[in-house]
Amino acid sequence: MSQKPLYRQIADAIRERIARGELKAGDALPTEAALQAEYEVSRVTVRQALKQLTEQKVIESIQGSGRYVKEERVNYDIYQLTSFYEKIADRHVQTHSEVRVFEVITADECLREKLQLQDGEKVWHIKRVRFLKQKPMALEETWMPLSLFPDLTWSVMEGSKYHFIEETKKLVIDRSEQEVIPILPDAETIAALELAPGKPILEKISRGFLSDGRVFEYSRNAFKSDDYRFTLVAHRQH
C-alpha cells in the first residue's frame, strides 16, 4: 500500500489517465461524486486531489461547467497577423464571441489620433469576450471607423471580424502595430475572464492598417496569462 496521502494517490491516478490518453486536453473530468464513488474516499479527499491538480495546472475549473483537462496554451505569434479563430483552428474545438457592447460614439481626441479621423467623425465601439468552448480567453475592446464599416452588425462581431473585412468588404489587411504589456486587471476584466483578483494579465494594444494605409481598427485586448504564449523570432544583424 502506498504511503502517499490518499488525495495524492488520486491525483497521480488522474495524471496517469491523462498520460495514457484516456483523458485528453479539453475533456471533462468525472464529477466529484463519481470520483468519490470510484476511489471510495470522502468528498474532502477528492477536493484535495483536484485542488492539487489545479495548482499544478493539469486541470482547470470553468465556472458553471465543471473541471477539464487543461488545454495547451494558445500560441500568439507576434509576427503573424491572424484572427482569434485562425490561431486555434488546428484544435477543432468550439469557439464563440459574446458581444457585451455594440454602439456608435463620436470619436474623442485620442480616438481621432489613433484612427486618423477628422473632428466629429463617429466610430463603432465594441466589447466582446472570446471563448474557447465555455472558457473565457480574452476580453477585446475595439474601435472602428463608422465610415469604413457602415454595415457592421452585432452578428458579424459574434464571429470573425477579419473574415467580414476581407471576404465581405473585400478590403486588404496589411499589418498591425502591437504593444504587449503586463497590467493588473480592473473589476470588469476580472469578472469577464473569471480571474483571481490581483493576478496580472497581458494587455495587447494594437492598430490595424489596410493596404492603402487607412487605419481600420484600434483595439485593446486583455489575455489570461495562463492561457496564452507569446512568441517571436529575432534575427541578429550581421
Side-chain angles (χ1 to χ4, degrees), residues 62-212:
I62 299 178
Q63 187 174 343
S65 181
R67 294 182 177 88
Y68 295 81
V69 180
K70 188 167 177 61
E71 297 267 6
E72 183 181 349
R73 288 184 176 187
V74 174
N75 185 48
Y76 197 112
D77 187 339
I78 292 175
Y79 285 117
Q80 294 293 321
L81 183 53
T82 52
S83 70
F84 175 73
Y85 293 99
E86 291 167 335
K87 284 179 174 60
I88 59 175
D90 61 336
R91 299 194 180 193
H92 306 291
V93 295
Q94 182 185 9
T95 64
H96 70 279
S97 295
E98 179 183 295
V99 179
R100 300 282 183 89
V101 175
F102 185 78
E103 62 182 358
V104 174
I105 63 173
T106 301
D108 60 16
E109 183 178 356
C110 176
L111 287 174
R112 291 198 301 272
E113 178 185 349
K114 298 295 185 184
L115 294 170
Q116 299 176 352
L117 301 175
Q118 300 299 314
D119 188 24
E121 288 198 62
K122 296 186 180 298
V123 297
W124 287 106
H125 173 224
I126 304 126
K127 279 188 184 181
R128 56 181 181 167
V129 181
R130 320 303 299 275
F131 287 84
L132 181 62
K133 295 184 179 177
Q134 299 304 311
K135 177 182 177 182
M137 298 288 287
L139 174 63
E140 176 191 272
E141 185 169 21
T142 303
W143 295 267
M144 302 167 68
L146 179 64
S147 59
L148 268 179
F149 309 107
D151 51 347
L152 187 66
T153 65
W154 183 292
S155 61
V156 163
M157 297 308 295
E158 288 181 317
S160 172
K161 173 178 58 186
Y162 279 16
H163 184 271
F164 169 74
I165 292 170
E166 295 177 318
E167 302 301 323
T168 302
K169 303 298 292 182
K170 304 300 182 183
L171 297 171
V172 178
I173 297 173
D174 178 61
R175 71 187 190 280
S176 176
E177 296 176 353
Q178 305 181 12
E179 176 185 10
V180 180
I181 56 175
I183 65 168
L184 287 174
D186 59 18
E188 179 186 16
T189 305
I190 289 171
L193 298 183
E194 300 172 6
L195 299 168
K199 182 179 178 63
I201 61 170
L202 295 172
E203 181 180 63
K204 177 174 71 71
I205 304 169
S206 62
R207 289 201 302 166
F209 293 80
L210 299 174
S211 58
D212 59 10

Side-chain angles (χ1 to χ4, degrees), residues 8-18 20 23 39:
R8 291 183 60 186
Q9 294 180 46
I10 295 169
D12 288 346
I14 293 172
R15 263 192 295 268
E16 288 172 10
R17 290 167 70 174
I18 295 170
R20 291 196 300 268
L23 288 170
Y39 294 107

